[in-house]
Every structure is written in structure tokens, then in C-alpha cells.
Amino acid sequence: MEFKQETASDDILSEYGMQCSSEDIKGNTLFTLEGFISSCEHGQGRSASDRQFYFINSRPCDPAKVIKVVNEVYHQYNRYQYPCVVLNIRLKEDDVDINVTPDKRQILVNNEKLLLATIKTSMIRLYGNIPNSFKMQNTSLNNSFTSSQSNNTPSRASPSVGSPSNSRISALSQKFGRKSEGSPLSNLSPTQPSTPLSVFSLKRSFSNSSCTDESQVIN
């Protein structure tokens, strides 16, 4: 995205301890910002700050405070990535001192607080209309979730007619001579699985029949 210079807002000016207002600095000609910066959308930045290039009057430099402000504002909208930056700051020759270190990478500038406030305000207004979200690439998420649920649901196998449990119950009913109408097995279909409740009912009916037979013998 193209870096668009904006007038520093009153709250950011007060944040840097400046007593002037945005109206006082409107139409500022002390410096000019030009360049490009990554969008704050997730996936548009980088995992490291290895693609950030700063220039003052087209001279490459490492302005530590400018770098810090740029990354801090970017992390307000995208905390997991760093922006790609190509930023050139144009100043008057009298407002720049390049003889700070032998490699001339550290540079002193006049009106540094105003410069930082302008950069911060410009980035906030640049990113203000960009939603803090990321795009979904898998559009069939609901279908995948539904299919995974159906695959994870355990299927109940219906017992066959000739299963051991049904055969055993039939043999026991014939041995004790119970009628099919009054037997608890009469309500069971061949394809219906036996439950603990039906077995309990069968045992109770068997015990009742045994007691009836014994009473007849005693009489």
C-alpha cells in the first residue's frame, strides 16, 4: 500500500509530549514521507522484519525510533507478522546530521517527535478501514465437519435371526413349557436385539413357573 502522509492528531501529539495542536502544524513542510508498506491483513506481512528499508533523503539508514513506531502500529492490527516497508523521509539538509557513526547508518534529525507522531497517525488512518480478519480458503468446512461426524458415529449391528442369544432364549422357553402368548418373548421380533430388561423378565417368569409347579406337587 502507498504510504500517505497525514497530519498528526492531537492525542498522538500529546502522547509524545508536544504542546502544539494539529491546526498549528497543518501544512507542515518540514519533511515529506513517501514509500510503500504492507497491508495489515493476515497473510500479507512476513514472519520477520527482514524486508524493511528506510531512507532519509534517499540515503539508506537504520532509524531505530522510526522502525519501532512502524512495527508497533502494525502489530496493533496484525500482531503475528511484520510489514514490508520501503520508506523515504525527505528533510532539509540543515535538519539532518549523518555524522553520528562511521557507517552513517544512524542519523539525527530535527523535529523527531513530530516526525514520529506523523508516521503513527498516517499508519493508523491507513489501516483504519481494513478489517482485522483473514480469509478462509476452505469453503467446504461445514460439509467436511458433517461427514467427519457421520464417520465417527458408531453403527449398531442388528442381530441376525439365528444369533446365539435368540436361539438360547427359544430353547429355554420350550424347556419350561411356557406359552408364546404369555411369554415375555412374544413381544420380541426376530430382528429386535435382546435387552437386559427382557432377560430379567424371562428369569422372573421362570421363577414364577417353578414355584407354581412345586405348589402343585405339594398339593
Side-chain angles (χ1 to χ4, degrees):
M1 303 177 67
E2 184 179 358
F3 201 102
K4 298 180 180 180
Q5 182 174 345
E6 300 284 348
T7 302
S9 60
D10 293 335
D11 54 344
I12 295 179
L13 288 173
S14 61
E15 179 183 337
Y16 283 96
M18 302 186 66
Q19 302 299 326
C20 59
S21 64
S22 59
E23 293 295 331
D24 298 335
I25 61 174
K26 201 168 187 180
N28 169 41
T29 57
L30 296 175
F31 50 79
T32 303
L33 304 177
E34 55 186 12
F36 297 90
I37 189 170
S38 297
S39 172
C40 63
E41 292 185 10
H42 289 271
Q44 299 298 320
R46 294 181 58 84
S47 60
S49 58
D50 57 346
R51 292 294 183 271
Q52 297 184 0
F53 307 97
Y54 298 90
F55 306 86
I56 292 182
N57 293 336
S58 301
R59 179 189 294 271
C61 61
D62 298 320
K65 293 183 180 180
V66 174
I67 295 173
K68 181 180 179 182
V69 169
V70 169
N71 289 311
E72 284 180 351
V73 175
Y74 190 83
H75 285 162
Q76 293 179 9
Y77 301 90
N78 185 349
R79 66 171 60 184
Y80 300 107
Q81 293 182 313
Y82 293 87
C84 294
V85 183
V86 179
L87 180 61
N88 183 35
I89 305 171
R90 293 192 177 276
L91 297 165
K92 296 179 181 179
E93 295 294 337
D94 297 338
D95 293 336
V96 181
D97 185 5
I98 62 174
N99 297 314
V100 179
T101 57
D103 58 358
K104 301 183 185 299
R105 301 286 296 186
Q106 301 296 327
I107 298 177
L108 293 179
V109 298
N110 290 333
N111 303 306
E112 184 180 48
K113 291 183 178 180
L114 179 58
L115 173 62
L116 299 176
T118 302
I119 293 175
K120 186 171 184 178
T121 302
S122 301
M123 291 187 62
I124 290 175
R125 293 178 181 174
L126 181 66
Y127 294 148
N129 297 326
I130 299 178
N132 187 13
S133 60
F134 60 93
K135 299 179 180 179
M136 294 291 295
Q137 297 183 359
N138 186 5
T139 57
S140 61
L141 182 61
N142 292 332
N143 296 333
S144 300
F145 180 74
T146 304
S147 61
S148 64
Q149 277 191 330
S150 61
N151 293 334
N152 293 332
T153 303
S155 59
R156 295 183 179 179
S158 58
S160 60
V161 177
S163 61
S165 59
N166 289 340
S167 301
R168 184 177 181 183
I169 293 174
S170 301
L172 290 174
S173 62
Q174 293 177 1
K175 179 179 179 181
F176 285 90
R178 301 293 295 174
K179 294 181 179 181
S180 60
E181 293 80 2
S183 173
L185 298 178
S186 60
N187 296 327
L188 293 177
S189 61
T191 59
Q192 181 179 359
S194 61
T195 62
L197 181 62
S198 62
V199 175
F200 176 76
S201 302
L202 180 62
K203 289 182 179 179
R204 186 172 61 183
S205 63
F206 289 163
S207 62
N208 293 337
S209 63
S210 299
C211 292
T212 304
D213 294 342
E214 289 178 0
S215 62
Q216 291 176 359
V217 172
I218 293 175
N219 293 333

